[in-house]
Amino acid sequence: MSSILFEIKNNIGFITLNRPDKLNAFNKEMALLLQNKLDECASLKEVRCVYIIGAGKGFSAGQDLAEVIDPAGPGMEKILSEHYNPIITRIRNIPKPVVAAVNGVAAGAGANIALACDVVLASVSASFIQAFSKIALIPDSGGTYTLPRLIGWQKASALMLLGDKIAATDAERMGMIYKVFEDESFEDESKKIAVTLAQLPTKSLSYIKHVLNYSATNNLEEQLLLEDQFQQKAAATKDFTEGVNAFLEKRKSNFTGE
Ligand code: LHQ
């Protein structure tokens, strides 16, 4: 069985992290396959949303720790540069919304991969752990960039230093994630959100994502210029014409993503 399952349905690229007996901990194969599937989603026009979930009871327990000490493993010096950093840059740069459906525990790199996604949803029994300090590492996979921007410096600092487990409902309350659903309805509800995203004007969503990527580092003037530039691009899409016409004709928009 492959460590990543992939199917395309309803214009959504469904990616399942699939090492359930290891809580979907990442080994080299799974990290490279995830990169590969994200590339496939980026290049296929029919994919208008990406949805990432874990098989079994967890989302991902981060790096497979057995692989780190395996003499035949990839080697510590390559794990970030070749496994996780390219996953995070792909998630942030793919011109389509990426949904993280956190169905259970998300720890270490598993948590920070989820938090890099555009819409993070979690089941009520899911949890988030910046597990790194517990094994004498520092947070990676963009965590030191993403988490303080999501929840503020103090909470991010405490969570990273202490490595506390945060329940999904607390993560939602502190702004770490978007929404929590009951376990029984989690897959249905999270997939409904992916379906909605896949039917929205994909180019406009990609521009929103691009402009938001810069908001963390641009000053206001730079950001206003960027908004102007990308608003022109959005207004030149077919979907903009469709959106305005549908509004004026009092009908539902039929966006094609063009
Ligand atoms: C695992 C793992 C795991 C292997 C559960 N590896 N088997 C970057 C640079 C280089 C090096 C290192 O890492 C990184 C990035 C990182 O991600 S660092 C952080 C790595 N992750 C962790 O430290 C988390 C380790 N896991 C845990 O603390 C617990 O498993 C959590 C709290 C996630 C879940 O606890 P439980 O629900 O009680 O499950 P469990 O511990 O019983 O795990 C189930 C199985 O999965 C178990 O295997 P077994 O054969 O005994 O049933 C675990 O050994 C295995 N597993 N995480 N990361």
Side-chain angles (χ1 to χ4, degrees):
M1 200 56 146
S2 173
S3 55
I4 293 283
L5 305 180
F6 182 62
E7 74 167 324
I8 300 171
K9 214 171 150 189
N10 298 328
N11 296 110
I12 301 161
F14 288 100
I15 296 176
T16 304
L17 311 176
N18 190 37
R19 300 184 73 219
D21 54 329
K22 301 282 174 209
L23 286 176
N24 307 315
F26 276 85
N27 60 8
K28 177 176 176 175
E29 180 200 79
M30 189 164 115
L32 297 186
L33 272 175
L34 177 57
Q35 291 174 24
N36 179 271
K37 292 304 167 195
L38 289 167
D39 285 344
E40 204 170 324
C41 289
S43 65
L44 289 174
K45 205 174 159 199
E46 66 170 306
V47 175
R48 294 172 61 187
C49 176
V50 182
Y51 176 99
I52 307 176
I53 194 167
K57 69 174 186 154
F59 178 77
S60 170
Q63 171 63 36
D64 184 325
L65 295 174
E67 187 184 61
V68 180
I69 55 157
D70 182 351
M76 185 64 202
E77 68 288 354
K78 289 196 178 155
I79 290 181
L80 293 191
S81 63
E82 294 184 10
H83 300 186
Y84 297 113
N85 294 356
I87 290 173
I88 301 301
T89 49
R90 275 167 173 78
I91 290 173
R92 292 313 318 142
N93 294 330
I94 182 171
K96 300 167 188 188
V98 182
V99 175
V102 182
N103 53 305
V105 68
N112 291 337
I113 287 171
L115 297 180
C117 294
D118 300 296
V119 179
V120 188
L121 308 168
S123 66
V124 79
S125 64
S127 54
F128 295 81
I129 315 174
Q130 293 294 320
F132 308 87
S133 65
K134 294 269 165 70
I135 52 166
L137 286 180
I138 70 153
D140 57 34
S141 303
T144 58
Y145 181 93
T146 310
L147 198 59
R149 287 172 166 83
L150 289 173
I151 62 172
W153 185 276
Q154 175 55 218
K155 283 201 161 62
S157 162
L159 287 182
M160 288 177 169
L161 295 171
L162 291 163
D164 282 345
K165 183 196 258 198
I166 292 293
T169 46
D170 290 332
E172 181 189 28
R173 191 179 37 76
M174 60 175 77
M176 193 191 295
I177 64 171
Y178 181 50
K179 261 187 192 169
V180 173
F181 295 108
E182 291 301 326
D183 291 349
E184 300 70 37
S185 57
F186 177 66
E187 255 193 78
D188 283 351
E189 295 295 338
S190 59
K191 283 180 180 168
K192 267 190 221 163
I193 291 180
V195 168
T196 301
L197 287 164
Q199 290 172 354
L200 283 167
T202 311
K203 279 197 176 160
S204 141
L205 301 197
S206 78
Y207 299 155
I208 293 171
K209 178 167 177 168
H210 179 83
V211 170
L212 270 177
N213 276 345
Y214 281 87
S215 80
T217 48
N218 270 352
N219 65 30
L220 177 62
E221 282 188 358
E222 290 164 335
Q223 197 64 13
L224 288 172
L225 279 174
L226 196 66
E227 286 177 1
D228 192 351
Q229 189 190 338
F230 276 81
Q231 196 67 293
Q232 308 309 322
K233 285 163 78 76
T237 61
K238 279 191 190 164
D239 280 341
F240 173 64
T241 309
E242 166 62 10
V244 173
N245 286 341
F247 175 77
L248 296 175
E249 291 161 16
K250 299 190 188 303
R251 61 173 173 82
K252 195 174 173 290
S253 307
N254 179 20
F255 294 122
T256 60
E258 289 164 351

